[in-house]
Amino acid sequence: MFDVARVRSAYPALADGYAYLDGAAGTQVPTTVIDAIADAYRAGLGNVGGAFPASDRSGAIVADCRAAVADLVGGRPEGVVLGPNMTTLTYRFAATLSATWEPGDEIVLSRLDHDADVRPWVQAAARAGATVRWAEVDLPAGELPAEQYGSLVGERTRLVAVSAASNVLGTRPDVATISALAHRAGALVFVDGVHATAHGPVDMAALGADFYATSAYKWCGPHVGAVVVDPSVLTDLLPDKLASSPDEIPDRFETGTAPFADLAGVTAAVEHLAGLDDTATGTRRERLLSSMAAAEAHELALFQRLVDGLAAMPAVTTYGAAQRRTATAYFTVAGHTPRAVAEHLAAHRINVWNGHNYAWELTAALGIRDAGSAVRAGLVHYNDAQDVDRLLEALKQL
Ligand SMILES: Cc1ncc(COP(=O)(O)O)c(C=O)c1O
């Protein structure tokens, strides 16, 4: 059963009296994650590959972390590439993949996406002489129609990069259909799951993702990113790397020394998510699937309360109304800049984000980027009805 009071009690930061509606920009962490990081340091860590126990402990932490992230997204541990964050990893994969692109090759990007799933590919394509083709967002609904990929993808398409969910509108595109069209043309599919992962069960095979990018700080873990790759795809890729660093996958994609204690925190975050429904049973993957489904149901019920409340305010304009979306509201208030709204809410101890939130192409398409874009109030599993009601009340006092 999903019990939000029980879930909230796991997060010490939530006791500070603020309504944390900024989860889309980064979530709070439960005590188990804090303890896992502290315990790793307390136990003593060494660099990996040494002849002593502290080194073995770090090696085990890395292996456990890969297994946990693989369970979270339905991937394989040997395909889990860990790194500092999604943006850095995406630049790394863009450099690696584009090394074989040629003039006349094409890639397909979407204007729905966070810029981290856009600019690394645009810049890599420019260096290779490849052409960028754009999937457009259907406004005002904020849908990314999958059908358009039928004409966007062709025999020269090398890559399709698309988001599993927009970080501002919450739109969840039909990635499975998009991937099927891409694969029919022989293109690889890179899915940005940074926003989506926190908001429901993930199955990268069902999405058709060759690459699935995620960041643990969006799902109650530390600041660690991961790109989970189909191992058969990874085997063929040769990133720039040091002569002395490992050649095997996935290690050859990871530069430098890993933040071992933080990786222990990532595993603890996955365990925490698996226990959001405390009646869930079975393997960790099975518990993740049912817990994340329960969390999604909780978020969407709360979101309805938020959407209805915002709709009842004549001064509020909301953006996005996709059929399938995460519990992420994006809105403006007439007569107030988004920053002023966020400052007013902060004075009421309510955390929201304001601005383009790096949805660079999308906020331009919406025609709001130059005016400070909008306010984002995003729900995650630890938000409750009181958080939503406080937001609505405070907005009425603007
Ligand atoms: C949808 C989406 N993609 C990518 C990113 C970038 O992630 P990172 O901070 O791990 O580089 C974010 C961060 O906000 C995001 O929301």
mmCIF file of all heavy atoms in Angstrom, residues 81-130:
data_model
loop_
_atom_site.group_PDB
_atom_site.id
_atom_site.type_symbol
_atom_site.label_atom_id
_atom_site.label_comp_id
_atom_site.label_asym_id
_atom_site.label_seq_id
_atom_site.Cartn_x
_atom_site.Cartn_y
_atom_site.Cartn_z
ATOM 1 N N VAL A 81 26.173 2.533 -17.683
ATOM 2 C CA VAL A 81 27.329 3.450 -17.680
ATOM 3 C C VAL A 81 27.037 4.550 -16.667
ATOM 4 O O VAL A 81 26.033 5.257 -16.779
ATOM 5 C CB VAL A 81 27.543 4.062 -19.076
ATOM 6 C CG1 VAL A 81 28.696 5.058 -19.054
ATOM 7 C CG2 VAL A 81 27.792 2.967 -20.114
ATOM 8 N N LEU A 82 27.904 4.689 -15.684
ATOM 9 C CA LEU A 82 27.689 5.676 -14.624
ATOM 10 C C LEU A 82 28.553 6.908 -14.865
ATOM 11 O O LEU A 82 29.646 6.805 -15.440
ATOM 12 C CB LEU A 82 28.035 5.054 -13.270
ATOM 13 C CG LEU A 82 27.192 3.813 -12.905
ATOM 14 C CD1 LEU A 82 27.825 3.048 -11.744
ATOM 15 C CD2 LEU A 82 25.765 4.227 -12.572
ATOM 16 N N GLY A 83 28.071 8.051 -14.421
ATOM 17 C CA GLY A 83 28.842 9.289 -14.610
ATOM 18 C C GLY A 83 28.278 10.391 -13.752
ATOM 19 O O GLY A 83 27.344 10.179 -12.974
ATOM 20 N N PRO A 84 28.833 11.595 -13.906
ATOM 21 C CA PRO A 84 28.437 12.676 -12.995
ATOM 22 C C PRO A 84 26.991 13.135 -13.154
ATOM 23 O O PRO A 84 26.349 13.513 -12.183
ATOM 24 C CB PRO A 84 29.410 13.807 -13.320
ATOM 25 C CG PRO A 84 30.047 13.449 -14.610
ATOM 26 C CD PRO A 84 29.940 11.973 -14.781
ATOM 27 N N ASN A 85 26.481 13.131 -14.356
ATOM 28 C CA ASN A 85 25.098 13.570 -14.603
ATOM 29 C C ASN A 85 24.752 13.214 -16.045
ATOM 30 O O ASN A 85 25.616 12.813 -16.827
ATOM 31 C CB ASN A 85 24.923 15.085 -14.360
ATOM 32 C CG ASN A 85 25.981 15.884 -15.078
ATOM 33 O OD1 ASN A 85 26.137 15.767 -16.271
ATOM 34 N ND2 ASN A 85 26.740 16.665 -14.331
ATOM 35 N N MET A 86 23.481 13.379 -16.392
ATOM 36 C CA MET A 86 23.036 12.995 -17.735
ATOM 37 C C MET A 86 23.707 13.843 -18.803
ATOM 38 O O MET A 86 24.074 13.350 -19.878
ATOM 39 C CB MET A 86 21.511 13.100 -17.801
ATOM 40 C CG MET A 86 20.912 12.800 -19.154
ATOM 41 S SD MET A 86 20.857 14.275 -20.220
ATOM 42 C CE MET A 86 19.876 13.661 -21.573
ATOM 43 N N THR A 87 23.842 15.145 -18.547
ATOM 44 C CA THR A 87 24.374 16.040 -19.589
ATOM 45 C C THR A 87 25.789 15.614 -19.986
ATOM 46 O O THR A 87 26.115 15.502 -21.182
ATOM 47 C CB THR A 87 24.368 17.493 -19.086
ATOM 48 O OG1 THR A 87 23.053 17.830 -18.652
ATOM 49 C CG2 THR A 87 24.804 18.453 -20.183
ATOM 50 N N THR A 88 26.618 15.371 -18.996
ATOM 51 C CA THR A 88 28.007 14.976 -19.274
ATOM 52 C C THR A 88 28.046 13.653 -20.035
ATOM 53 O O THR A 88 28.807 13.494 -21.001
ATOM 54 C CB THR A 88 28.780 14.859 -17.946
ATOM 55 O OG1 THR A 88 28.659 16.095 -17.246
ATOM 56 C CG2 THR A 88 30.235 14.536 -18.167
ATOM 57 N N LEU A 89 27.214 12.709 -19.609
ATOM 58 C CA LEU A 89 27.200 11.405 -20.282
ATOM 59 C C LEU A 89 26.674 11.528 -21.716
ATOM 60 O O LEU A 89 27.156 10.847 -22.624
ATOM 61 C CB LEU A 89 26.341 10.413 -19.490
ATOM 62 C CG LEU A 89 26.971 9.903 -18.185
ATOM 63 C CD1 LEU A 89 25.943 9.134 -17.357
ATOM 64 C CD2 LEU A 89 28.177 9.014 -18.478
ATOM 65 N N THR A 90 25.695 12.404 -21.910
ATOM 66 C CA THR A 90 25.148 12.554 -23.262
ATOM 67 C C THR A 90 26.195 13.164 -24.192
ATOM 68 O O THR A 90 26.340 12.743 -25.347
ATOM 69 C CB THR A 90 23.854 13.386 -23.229
ATOM 70 O OG1 THR A 90 22.946 12.755 -22.326
ATOM 71 C CG2 THR A 90 23.198 13.468 -24.612
ATOM 72 N N TYR A 91 26.945 14.149 -23.693
ATOM 73 C CA TYR A 91 28.048 14.682 -24.511
ATOM 74 C C TYR A 91 29.036 13.566 -24.867
ATOM 75 O O TYR A 91 29.538 13.483 -25.992
ATOM 76 C CB TYR A 91 28.762 15.825 -23.781
ATOM 77 C CG TYR A 91 28.217 17.196 -24.161
ATOM 78 C CD1 TYR A 91 27.514 17.971 -23.250
ATOM 79 C CD2 TYR A 91 28.400 17.708 -25.448
ATOM 80 C CE1 TYR A 91 27.007 19.215 -23.593
ATOM 81 C CE2 TYR A 91 27.896 18.947 -25.811
ATOM 82 C CZ TYR A 91 27.199 19.695 -24.885
ATOM 83 O OH TYR A 91 26.693 20.917 -25.247
ATOM 84 N N ARG A 92 29.274 12.683 -23.898
ATOM 85 C CA ARG A 92 30.238 11.608 -24.151
ATOM 86 C C ARG A 92 29.700 10.663 -25.239
ATOM 87 O O ARG A 92 30.427 10.276 -26.165
ATOM 88 C CB ARG A 92 30.481 10.845 -22.838
ATOM 89 C CG ARG A 92 31.755 10.045 -22.837
ATOM 90 C CD ARG A 92 32.036 9.488 -21.444
ATOM 91 N NE ARG A 92 32.261 10.529 -20.445
ATOM 92 C CZ ARG A 92 32.187 10.338 -19.122
ATOM 93 N NH1 ARG A 92 31.905 9.140 -18.648
ATOM 94 N NH2 ARG A 92 32.415 11.317 -18.296
ATOM 95 N N PHE A 93 28.434 10.301 -25.139
ATOM 96 C CA PHE A 93 27.866 9.399 -26.160
ATOM 97 C C PHE A 93 27.706 10.106 -27.504
ATOM 98 O O PHE A 93 27.863 9.475 -28.554
ATOM 99 C CB PHE A 93 26.542 8.797 -25.678
ATOM 100 C CG PHE A 93 26.759 7.601 -24.791
ATOM 101 C CD1 PHE A 93 26.639 7.702 -23.420
ATOM 102 C CD2 PHE A 93 27.145 6.387 -25.342
ATOM 103 C CE1 PHE A 93 26.879 6.607 -22.601
ATOM 104 C CE2 PHE A 93 27.391 5.280 -24.534
ATOM 105 C CZ PHE A 93 27.254 5.398 -23.156
ATOM 106 N N ALA A 94 27.424 11.402 -27.467
ATOM 107 C CA ALA A 94 27.312 12.129 -28.743
ATOM 108 C C ALA A 94 28.658 12.125 -29.463
ATOM 109 O O ALA A 94 28.725 11.928 -30.684
ATOM 110 C CB ALA A 94 26.827 13.560 -28.489
ATOM 111 N N ALA A 95 29.720 12.333 -28.707
ATOM 112 C CA ALA A 95 31.054 12.326 -29.326
ATOM 113 C C ALA A 95 31.370 10.944 -29.883
ATOM 114 O O ALA A 95 31.902 10.810 -31.001
ATOM 115 C CB ALA A 95 32.106 12.739 -28.291
ATOM 116 N N THR A 96 31.025 9.909 -29.131
ATOM 117 C CA THR A 96 31.349 8.541 -29.555
ATOM 118 C C THR A 96 30.533 8.129 -30.778
ATOM 119 O O THR A 96 31.078 7.612 -31.768
ATOM 120 C CB THR A 96 31.066 7.560 -28.388
ATOM 121 O OG1 THR A 96 31.810 7.979 -27.253
ATOM 122 C CG2 THR A 96 31.446 6.144 -28.752
ATOM 123 N N LEU A 97 29.229 8.354 -30.703
ATOM 124 C CA LEU A 97 28.362 7.925 -31.812
ATOM 125 C C LEU A 97 28.663 8.705 -33.080
ATOM 126 O O LEU A 97 28.691 8.146 -34.183
ATOM 127 C CB LEU A 97 26.894 8.100 -31.425
ATOM 128 C CG LEU A 97 26.369 7.098 -30.386
ATOM 129 C CD1 LEU A 97 25.026 7.549 -29.824
ATOM 130 C CD2 LEU A 97 26.236 5.713 -31.016
ATOM 131 N N SER A 98 28.892 10.002 -32.937
ATOM 132 C CA SER A 98 29.046 10.838 -34.133
ATOM 133 C C SER A 98 30.378 10.610 -34.837
ATOM 134 O O SER A 98 30.555 11.067 -35.966
ATOM 135 C CB SER A 98 28.889 12.316 -33.773
ATOM 136 O OG SER A 98 29.929 12.708 -32.900
ATOM 137 N N ALA A 99 31.277 9.882 -34.192
ATOM 138 C CA ALA A 99 32.572 9.609 -34.831
ATOM 139 C C ALA A 99 32.390 8.835 -36.136
ATOM 140 O O ALA A 99 33.255 8.869 -37.016
ATOM 141 C CB ALA A 99 33.478 8.845 -33.865
ATOM 142 N N THR A 100 31.251 8.134 -36.251
ATOM 143 C CA THR A 100 31.027 7.365 -37.494
ATOM 144 C C THR A 100 29.985 8.023 -38.399
ATOM 145 O O THR A 100 29.612 7.452 -39.421
ATOM 146 C CB THR A 100 30.569 5.919 -37.173
ATOM 147 O OG1 THR A 100 29.299 5.984 -36.500
ATOM 148 C CG2 THR A 100 31.582 5.198 -36.311
ATOM 149 N N TRP A 101 29.468 9.189 -38.006
ATOM 150 C CA TRP A 101 28.498 9.873 -38.872
ATOM 151 C C TRP A 101 29.229 10.544 -40.031
ATOM 152 O O TRP A 101 30.370 11.005 -39.894
ATOM 153 C CB TRP A 101 27.725 10.941 -38.100
ATOM 154 C CG TRP A 101 26.858 10.396 -36.990
ATOM 155 C CD1 TRP A 101 26.545 9.089 -36.744
ATOM 156 C CD2 TRP A 101 26.224 11.163 -35.952
ATOM 157 N NE1 TRP A 101 25.746 8.996 -35.620
ATOM 158 C CE2 TRP A 101 25.526 10.253 -35.121
ATOM 159 C CE3 TRP A 101 26.167 12.525 -35.640
ATOM 160 C CZ2 TRP A 101 24.804 10.658 -34.007
ATOM 161 C CZ3 TRP A 101 25.437 12.931 -34.542
ATOM 162 C CH2 TRP A 101 24.758 12.003 -33.733
ATOM 163 N N GLU A 102 28.533 10.615 -41.158
ATOM 164 C CA GLU A 102 29.149 11.214 -42.354
ATOM 165 C C GLU A 102 28.244 12.299 -42.903
ATOM 166 O O GLU A 102 27.035 12.303 -42.621
ATOM 167 C CB GLU A 102 29.346 10.134 -43.422
ATOM 168 C CG GLU A 102 30.409 9.130 -43.018
ATOM 169 C CD GLU A 102 30.510 7.988 -43.998
ATOM 170 O OE1 GLU A 102 29.742 7.958 -44.989
ATOM 171 O OE2 GLU A 102 31.367 7.135 -43.752
ATOM 172 N N PRO A 103 28.807 13.198 -43.708
ATOM 173 C CA PRO A 103 27.951 14.202 -44.349
ATOM 174 C C PRO A 103 26.817 13.502 -45.095
ATOM 175 O O PRO A 103 27.035 12.484 -45.772
ATOM 176 C CB PRO A 103 28.903 14.921 -45.309
ATOM 177 C CG PRO A 103 30.251 14.758 -44.675
ATOM 178 C CD PRO A 103 30.234 13.392 -44.034
ATOM 179 N N GLY A 104 25.607 14.009 -44.916
ATOM 180 C CA GLY A 104 24.443 13.379 -45.547
ATOM 181 C C GLY A 104 23.686 12.485 -44.582
ATOM 182 O O GLY A 104 22.512 12.193 -44.789
ATOM 183 N N ASP A 105 24.372 12.031 -43.520
ATOM 184 C CA ASP A 105 23.650 11.291 -42.475
ATOM 185 C C ASP A 105 22.701 12.245 -41.762
ATOM 186 O O ASP A 105 22.890 13.477 -41.800
ATOM 187 C CB ASP A 105 24.638 10.705 -41.449
ATOM 188 C CG ASP A 105 25.315 9.443 -41.972
ATOM 189 O OD1 ASP A 105 24.847 8.896 -42.989
ATOM 190 O OD2 ASP A 105 26.318 9.021 -41.366
ATOM 191 N N GLU A 106 21.703 11.670 -41.117
ATOM 192 C CA GLU A 106 20.695 12.505 -40.444
ATOM 193 C C GLU A 106 20.464 12.018 -39.023
ATOM 194 O O GLU A 106 20.616 10.828 -38.731
ATOM 195 C CB GLU A 106 19.359 12.431 -41.219
ATOM 196 C CG GLU A 106 19.474 12.993 -42.623
ATOM 197 C CD GLU A 106 18.168 12.895 -43.399
ATOM 198 O OE1 GLU A 106 17.180 12.349 -42.870
ATOM 199 O OE2 GLU A 106 18.157 13.368 -44.553
ATOM 200 N N ILE A 107 20.088 12.967 -38.168
ATOM 201 C CA ILE A 107 19.596 12.605 -36.835
ATOM 202 C C ILE A 107 18.264 13.330 -36.633
ATOM 203 O O ILE A 107 18.011 14.359 -37.268
ATOM 204 C CB ILE A 107 20.591 12.957 -35.714
ATOM 205 C CG1 ILE A 107 20.818 14.469 -35.609
ATOM 206 C CG2 ILE A 107 21.916 12.233 -35.915
ATOM 207 C CD1 ILE A 107 21.595 14.889 -34.369
ATOM 208 N N VAL A 108 17.423 12.759 -35.771
ATOM 209 C CA VAL A 108 16.107 13.359 -35.518
ATOM 210 C C VAL A 108 16.018 13.727 -34.040
ATOM 211 O O VAL A 108 16.191 12.870 -33.163
ATOM 212 C CB VAL A 108 14.970 12.395 -35.897
ATOM 213 C CG1 VAL A 108 13.614 13.060 -35.647
ATOM 214 C CG2 VAL A 108 15.095 11.964 -37.360
ATOM 215 N N LEU A 109 15.790 15.008 -33.788
ATOM 216 C CA LEU A 109 15.661 15.526 -32.419
ATOM 217 C C LEU A 109 14.257 16.055 -32.220
ATOM 218 O O LEU A 109 13.518 16.252 -33.187
ATOM 219 C CB LEU A 109 16.679 16.648 -32.185
ATOM 220 C CG LEU A 109 18.133 16.307 -32.511
ATOM 221 C CD1 LEU A 109 19.026 17.509 -32.253
ATOM 222 C CD2 LEU A 109 18.604 15.105 -31.686
ATOM 223 N N SER A 110 13.917 16.323 -30.962
ATOM 224 C CA SER A 110 12.565 16.818 -30.707
ATOM 225 C C SER A 110 12.604 18.157 -29.980
ATOM 226 O O SER A 110 13.459 18.372 -29.112
ATOM 227 C CB SER A 110 11.796 15.788 -29.883
ATOM 228 O OG SER A 110 11.407 16.307 -28.649
ATOM 229 N N ARG A 111 11.667 19.028 -30.330
ATOM 230 C CA ARG A 111 11.608 20.333 -29.647
ATOM 231 C C ARG A 111 10.920 20.236 -28.287
ATOM 232 O O ARG A 111 10.814 21.210 -27.573
ATOM 233 C CB ARG A 111 10.898 21.366 -30.524
ATOM 234 C CG ARG A 111 11.721 21.773 -31.717
ATOM 235 C CD ARG A 111 11.250 23.078 -32.308
ATOM 236 N NE ARG A 111 11.576 23.130 -33.714
ATOM 237 C CZ ARG A 111 12.770 23.455 -34.213
ATOM 238 N NH1 ARG A 111 13.759 23.790 -33.418
ATOM 239 N NH2 ARG A 111 12.978 23.457 -35.513
ATOM 240 N N LEU A 112 10.457 19.037 -27.938
ATOM 241 C CA LEU A 112 9.889 18.846 -26.602
ATOM 242 C C LEU A 112 11.003 18.742 -25.562
ATOM 243 O O LEU A 112 10.795 19.021 -24.390
ATOM 244 C CB LEU A 112 9.060 17.546 -26.572
ATOM 245 C CG LEU A 112 8.306 17.237 -25.291
ATOM 246 C CD1 LEU A 112 7.093 18.182 -25.140
ATOM 247 C CD2 LEU A 112 7.822 15.786 -25.272
ATOM 248 N N ASP A 113 12.198 18.360 -26.019
ATOM 249 C CA ASP A 113 13.211 17.865 -25.090
ATOM 250 C C ASP A 113 13.956 18.952 -24.318
ATOM 251 O O ASP A 113 14.125 20.080 -24.777
ATOM 252 C CB ASP A 113 14.229 17.012 -25.855
ATOM 253 C CG ASP A 113 13.686 15.625 -26.156
ATOM 254 O OD1 ASP A 113 12.516 15.519 -26.576
ATOM 255 O OD2 ASP A 113 14.431 14.660 -25.948
ATOM 256 N N HIS A 114 14.423 18.550 -23.160
ATOM 257 C CA HIS A 114 15.407 19.321 -22.389
ATOM 258 C C HIS A 114 16.630 19.521 -23.288
ATOM 259 O O HIS A 114 16.972 18.638 -24.081
ATOM 260 C CB HIS A 114 15.775 18.486 -21.157
ATOM 261 C CG HIS A 114 16.660 19.150 -20.156
ATOM 262 N ND1 HIS A 114 18.002 19.372 -20.370
ATOM 263 C CD2 HIS A 114 16.399 19.625 -18.920
ATOM 264 C CE1 HIS A 114 18.529 19.938 -19.298
ATOM 265 N NE2 HIS A 114 17.575 20.115 -18.401
ATOM 266 N N ASP A 115 17.302 20.646 -23.136
ATOM 267 C CA ASP A 115 18.427 20.929 -24.033
ATOM 268 C C ASP A 115 19.571 19.919 -23.909
ATOM 269 O O ASP A 115 20.377 19.790 -24.825
ATOM 270 C CB ASP A 115 18.954 22.350 -23.790
ATOM 271 C CG ASP A 115 19.473 22.980 -25.071
ATOM 272 O OD1 ASP A 115 18.808 22.836 -26.127
ATOM 273 O OD2 ASP A 115 20.566 23.583 -25.043
ATOM 274 N N ALA A 116 19.624 19.204 -22.809
ATOM 275 C CA ALA A 116 20.679 18.192 -22.652
ATOM 276 C C ALA A 116 20.492 17.026 -23.614
ATOM 277 O O ALA A 116 21.435 16.256 -23.846
ATOM 278 C CB ALA A 116 20.713 17.684 -21.212
ATOM 279 N N ASP A 117 19.271 16.876 -24.157
ATOM 280 C CA ASP A 117 19.050 15.835 -25.171
ATOM 281 C C ASP A 117 18.919 16.462 -26.556
ATOM 282 O O ASP A 117 18.387 15.848 -27.471
ATOM 283 C CB ASP A 117 17.793 15.014 -24.830
ATOM 284 C CG ASP A 117 17.776 13.678 -25.574
ATOM 285 O OD1 ASP A 117 18.874 13.126 -25.821
ATOM 286 O OD2 ASP A 117 16.683 13.200 -25.912
ATOM 287 N N VAL A 118 19.391 17.690 -26.673
ATOM 288 C CA VAL A 118 19.321 18.401 -27.951
ATOM 289 C C VAL A 118 20.719 18.885 -28.347
ATOM 290 O O VAL A 118 21.293 18.451 -29.352
ATOM 291 C CB VAL A 118 18.336 19.595 -27.861
ATOM 292 C CG1 VAL A 118 18.409 20.445 -29.136
ATOM 293 C CG2 VAL A 118 16.914 19.109 -27.612
ATOM 294 N N ARG A 119 21.277 19.817 -27.534
ATOM 295 C CA ARG A 119 22.505 20.501 -27.959
ATOM 296 C C ARG A 119 23.698 19.559 -28.158
ATOM 297 O O ARG A 119 24.455 19.736 -29.123
ATOM 298 C CB ARG A 119 22.844 21.614 -26.957
ATOM 299 C CG ARG A 119 23.310 22.941 -27.590
ATOM 300 C CD ARG A 119 22.416 23.493 -28.654
ATOM 301 N NE ARG A 119 21.040 23.648 -28.199
ATOM 302 C CZ ARG A 119 20.029 23.978 -28.984
ATOM 303 N NH1 ARG A 119 20.211 24.200 -30.270
ATOM 304 N NH2 ARG A 119 18.811 24.079 -28.510
ATOM 305 N N PRO A 120 23.910 18.557 -27.300
ATOM 306 C CA PRO A 120 25.057 17.676 -27.568
ATOM 307 C C PRO A 120 24.957 17.027 -28.946
ATOM 308 O O PRO A 120 25.973 16.857 -29.638
ATOM 309 C CB PRO A 120 24.960 16.620 -26.451
ATOM 310 C CG PRO A 120 24.239 17.329 -25.340
ATOM 311 C CD PRO A 120 23.233 18.215 -26.030
ATOM 312 N N TRP A 121 23.729 16.706 -29.355
ATOM 313 C CA TRP A 121 23.534 16.058 -30.670
ATOM 314 C C TRP A 121 23.664 17.073 -31.806
ATOM 315 O O TRP A 121 24.233 16.764 -32.860
ATOM 316 C CB TRP A 121 22.164 15.392 -30.735
ATOM 317 C CG TRP A 121 21.914 14.411 -29.625
ATOM 318 C CD1 TRP A 121 20.963 14.504 -28.652
ATOM 319 C CD2 TRP A 121 22.623 13.187 -29.364
ATOM 320 N NE1 TRP A 121 21.033 13.428 -27.800
ATOM 321 C CE2 TRP A 121 22.041 12.596 -28.223
ATOM 322 C CE3 TRP A 121 23.692 12.531 -29.988
ATOM 323 C CZ2 TRP A 121 22.492 11.394 -27.682
ATOM 324 C CZ3 TRP A 121 24.143 11.333 -29.461
ATOM 325 C CH2 TRP A 121 23.550 10.783 -28.328
ATOM 326 N N VAL A 122 23.123 18.299 -31.595
ATOM 327 C CA VAL A 122 23.227 19.347 -32.622
ATOM 328 C C VAL A 122 24.703 19.640 -32.897
ATOM 329 O O VAL A 122 25.140 19.730 -34.057
ATOM 330 C CB VAL A 122 22.508 20.645 -32.155
ATOM 331 C CG1 VAL A 122 22.859 21.826 -33.049
ATOM 332 C CG2 VAL A 122 20.990 20.432 -32.106
ATOM 333 N N GLN A 123 25.470 19.768 -31.827
ATOM 334 C CA GLN A 123 26.881 20.119 -31.990
ATOM 335 C C GLN A 123 27.679 18.972 -32.609
ATOM 336 O O GLN A 123 28.549 19.187 -33.455
ATOM 337 C CB GLN A 123 27.457 20.549 -30.629
ATOM 338 C CG GLN A 123 26.847 21.874 -30.170
ATOM 339 C CD GLN A 123 26.940 22.130 -28.676
ATOM 340 O OE1 GLN A 123 27.456 21.303 -27.917
ATOM 341 N NE2 GLN A 123 26.439 23.279 -28.239
ATOM 342 N N ALA A 124 27.340 17.750 -32.209
ATOM 343 C CA ALA A 124 28.037 16.593 -32.797
ATOM 344 C C ALA A 124 27.695 16.470 -34.279
ATOM 345 O O ALA A 124 28.561 16.164 -35.116
ATOM 346 C CB ALA A 124 27.646 15.318 -32.054
ATOM 347 N N ALA A 125 26.426 16.709 -34.617
ATOM 348 C CA ALA A 125 26.009 16.622 -36.027
ATOM 349 C C ALA A 125 26.733 17.674 -36.855
ATOM 350 O O ALA A 125 27.186 17.396 -37.976
ATOM 351 C CB ALA A 125 24.494 16.808 -36.128
ATOM 352 N N ALA A 126 26.867 18.896 -36.300
ATOM 353 C CA ALA A 126 27.543 19.969 -37.038
ATOM 354 C C ALA A 126 28.990 19.569 -37.330
ATOM 355 O O ALA A 126 29.496 19.767 -38.440
ATOM 356 C CB ALA A 126 27.483 21.270 -36.237
ATOM 357 N N ARG A 127 29.649 18.976 -36.347
ATOM 358 C CA ARG A 127 31.048 18.571 -36.558
ATOM 359 C C ARG A 127 31.151 17.490 -37.634
ATOM 360 O O ARG A 127 32.100 17.452 -38.406
ATOM 361 C CB ARG A 127 31.656 18.052 -35.248
ATOM 362 C CG ARG A 127 32.152 19.152 -34.317
ATOM 363 C CD ARG A 127 33.025 18.561 -33.198
ATOM 364 N NE ARG A 127 32.280 17.636 -32.369
ATOM 365 C CZ ARG A 127 31.538 18.007 -31.312
ATOM 366 N NH1 ARG A 127 31.472 19.273 -30.972
ATOM 367 N NH2 ARG A 127 30.883 17.105 -30.611
ATOM 368 N N ALA A 128 30.162 16.590 -37.680
ATOM 369 C CA ALA A 128 30.219 15.468 -38.628
ATOM 370 C C ALA A 128 29.658 15.836 -39.992
ATOM 371 O O ALA A 128 29.754 15.053 -40.934
ATOM 372 C CB ALA A 128 29.438 14.286 -38.043
ATOM 373 N N GLY A 129 29.010 16.999 -40.095
ATOM 374 C CA GLY A 129 28.355 17.369 -41.354
ATOM 375 C C GLY A 129 27.022 16.663 -41.525
ATOM 376 O O GLY A 129 26.480 16.585 -42.641
ATOM 377 N N ALA A 130 26.476 16.129 -40.448
ATOM 378 C CA ALA A 130 25.168 15.455 -40.516
ATOM 379 C C ALA A 130 24.054 16.484 -40.391
ATOM 380 O O ALA A 130 24.247 17.569 -39.848
ATOM 381 C CB ALA A 130 25.060 14.405 -39.413
#
